PDB file of all heavy atoms in Angstrom:
ATOM      1  N   GLN A 507      28.422  -7.500 -27.077  1.00  0.00           N
ATOM      2  CA  GLN A 507      29.300  -7.165 -28.195  1.00  0.00           C
ATOM      3  C   GLN A 507      30.661  -6.671 -27.718  1.00  0.00           C
ATOM      4  O   GLN A 507      30.822  -6.248 -26.587  1.00  0.00           O
ATOM      5  CB  GLN A 507      28.661  -6.082 -29.070  1.00  0.00           C
ATOM      6  CG  GLN A 507      27.776  -6.654 -30.150  1.00  0.00           C
ATOM      7  CD  GLN A 507      26.314  -6.370 -29.840  1.00  0.00           C
ATOM      8  OE1 GLN A 507      25.954  -6.252 -28.667  1.00  0.00           O
ATOM      9  NE2 GLN A 507      25.517  -6.289 -30.868  1.00  0.00           N
ATOM     10  N   GLN A 509      32.539  -4.030 -28.252  1.00  0.00           N
ATOM     11  CA  GLN A 509      32.754  -2.645 -27.797  1.00  0.00           C
ATOM     12  C   GLN A 509      32.652  -2.523 -26.280  1.00  0.00           C
ATOM     13  O   GLN A 509      33.363  -1.750 -25.660  1.00  0.00           O
ATOM     14  CB  GLN A 509      31.696  -1.673 -28.382  1.00  0.00           C
ATOM     15  CG  GLN A 509      31.754  -1.508 -29.863  1.00  0.00           C
ATOM     16  CD  GLN A 509      30.746  -2.444 -30.519  1.00  0.00           C
ATOM     17  OE1 GLN A 509      30.723  -3.644 -30.228  1.00  0.00           O
ATOM     18  NE2 GLN A 509      29.950  -1.888 -31.420  1.00  0.00           N
ATOM     19  N   LEU A 520      25.656   2.088 -22.613  1.00  0.00           N
ATOM     20  CA  LEU A 520      25.373   1.569 -23.945  1.00  0.00           C
ATOM     21  C   LEU A 520      24.100   2.178 -24.502  1.00  0.00           C
ATOM     22  O   LEU A 520      23.098   2.261 -23.812  1.00  0.00           O
ATOM     23  CB  LEU A 520      25.138   0.059 -23.849  1.00  0.00           C
ATOM     24  CG  LEU A 520      26.372  -0.824 -23.793  1.00  0.00           C
ATOM     25  CD1 LEU A 520      25.921  -2.272 -23.732  1.00  0.00           C
ATOM     26  CD2 LEU A 520      27.257  -0.597 -24.993  1.00  0.00           C
ATOM     27  N   PRO A 521      24.125   2.612 -25.758  1.00  0.00           N
ATOM     28  CA  PRO A 521      22.863   2.985 -26.384  1.00  0.00           C
ATOM     29  C   PRO A 521      21.961   1.757 -26.455  1.00  0.00           C
ATOM     30  O   PRO A 521      22.456   0.623 -26.499  1.00  0.00           O
ATOM     31  CB  PRO A 521      23.250   3.439 -27.786  1.00  0.00           C
ATOM     32  CG  PRO A 521      24.709   3.198 -27.946  1.00  0.00           C
ATOM     33  CD  PRO A 521      25.280   2.702 -26.666  1.00  0.00           C
ATOM     34  N   SER A 522      20.670   1.976 -26.459  1.00  0.00           N
ATOM     35  CA  SER A 522      19.762   0.850 -26.265  1.00  0.00           C
ATOM     36  C   SER A 522      19.873  -0.199 -27.376  1.00  0.00           C
ATOM     37  O   SER A 522      19.644  -1.365 -27.136  1.00  0.00           O
ATOM     38  CB  SER A 522      18.332   1.352 -26.142  1.00  0.00           C
ATOM     39  OG  SER A 522      18.015   2.075 -27.308  1.00  0.00           O
ATOM     40  N   HIS A 523      20.240   0.186 -28.602  1.00  0.00           N
ATOM     41  CA  HIS A 523      20.303  -0.819 -29.658  1.00  0.00           C
ATOM     42  C   HIS A 523      21.461  -1.785 -29.447  1.00  0.00           C
ATOM     43  O   HIS A 523      21.557  -2.817 -30.084  1.00  0.00           O
ATOM     44  CB  HIS A 523      20.407  -0.157 -31.042  1.00  0.00           C
ATOM     45  CG  HIS A 523      21.683   0.602 -31.253  1.00  0.00           C
ATOM     46  ND1 HIS A 523      21.801   1.919 -30.905  1.00  0.00           N
ATOM     47  CD2 HIS A 523      22.877   0.224 -31.759  1.00  0.00           C
ATOM     48  CE1 HIS A 523      23.042   2.324 -31.213  1.00  0.00           C
ATOM     49  NE2 HIS A 523      23.708   1.321 -31.722  1.00  0.00           N
ATOM     50  N   LEU A 524      22.355  -1.450 -28.531  1.00  0.00           N
ATOM     51  CA  LEU A 524      23.460  -2.361 -28.262  1.00  0.00           C
ATOM     52  C   LEU A 524      23.161  -3.334 -27.122  1.00  0.00           C
ATOM     53  O   LEU A 524      23.934  -4.225 -26.855  1.00  0.00           O
ATOM     54  CB  LEU A 524      24.725  -1.570 -27.915  1.00  0.00           C
ATOM     55  CG  LEU A 524      25.569  -1.147 -29.116  1.00  0.00           C
ATOM     56  CD1 LEU A 524      26.834  -0.463 -28.638  1.00  0.00           C
ATOM     57  CD2 LEU A 524      25.931  -2.356 -29.975  1.00  0.00           C
ATOM     58  N   THR A 525      22.035  -3.108 -26.419  1.00  0.00           N
ATOM     59  CA  THR A 525      21.776  -4.014 -25.311  1.00  0.00           C
ATOM     60  C   THR A 525      21.574  -5.423 -25.851  1.00  0.00           C
ATOM     61  O   THR A 525      20.890  -5.625 -26.841  1.00  0.00           O
ATOM     62  CB  THR A 525      20.526  -3.592 -24.517  1.00  0.00           C
ATOM     63  OG1 THR A 525      19.464  -3.441 -25.442  1.00  0.00           O
ATOM     64  CG2 THR A 525      20.752  -2.308 -23.769  1.00  0.00           C
ATOM     65  N   PRO A 526      22.169  -6.390 -25.197  1.00  0.00           N
ATOM     66  CA  PRO A 526      22.161  -7.739 -25.735  1.00  0.00           C
ATOM     67  C   PRO A 526      20.817  -8.426 -25.532  1.00  0.00           C
ATOM     68  O   PRO A 526      20.139  -8.194 -24.551  1.00  0.00           O
ATOM     69  CB  PRO A 526      23.233  -8.432 -24.923  1.00  0.00           C
ATOM     70  CG  PRO A 526      23.251  -7.702 -23.635  1.00  0.00           C
ATOM     71  CD  PRO A 526      22.833  -6.300 -23.909  1.00  0.00           C
ATOM     72  N   HIS A 527      20.433  -9.216 -26.485  1.00  0.00           N
ATOM     73  CA  HIS A 527      19.231 -10.023 -26.311  1.00  0.00           C
ATOM     74  C   HIS A 527      19.654 -11.428 -25.940  1.00  0.00           C
ATOM     75  O   HIS A 527      20.299 -12.121 -26.706  1.00  0.00           O
ATOM     76  CB  HIS A 527      18.395 -10.015 -27.581  1.00  0.00           C
ATOM     77  CG  HIS A 527      17.781  -8.684 -27.818  1.00  0.00           C
ATOM     78  ND1 HIS A 527      16.680  -8.239 -27.131  1.00  0.00           N
ATOM     79  CD2 HIS A 527      18.150  -7.663 -28.621  1.00  0.00           C
ATOM     80  CE1 HIS A 527      16.386  -7.011 -27.513  1.00  0.00           C
ATOM     81  NE2 HIS A 527      17.266  -6.640 -28.415  1.00  0.00           N
TER      82      HIS A 527
END
Side-chain angles (χ1 to χ4, degrees):
Q507 272 109 332
Q509 295 96 309
L520 279 181
S522 58
H523 66 271
L524 273 184
T525 52
H527 290 283

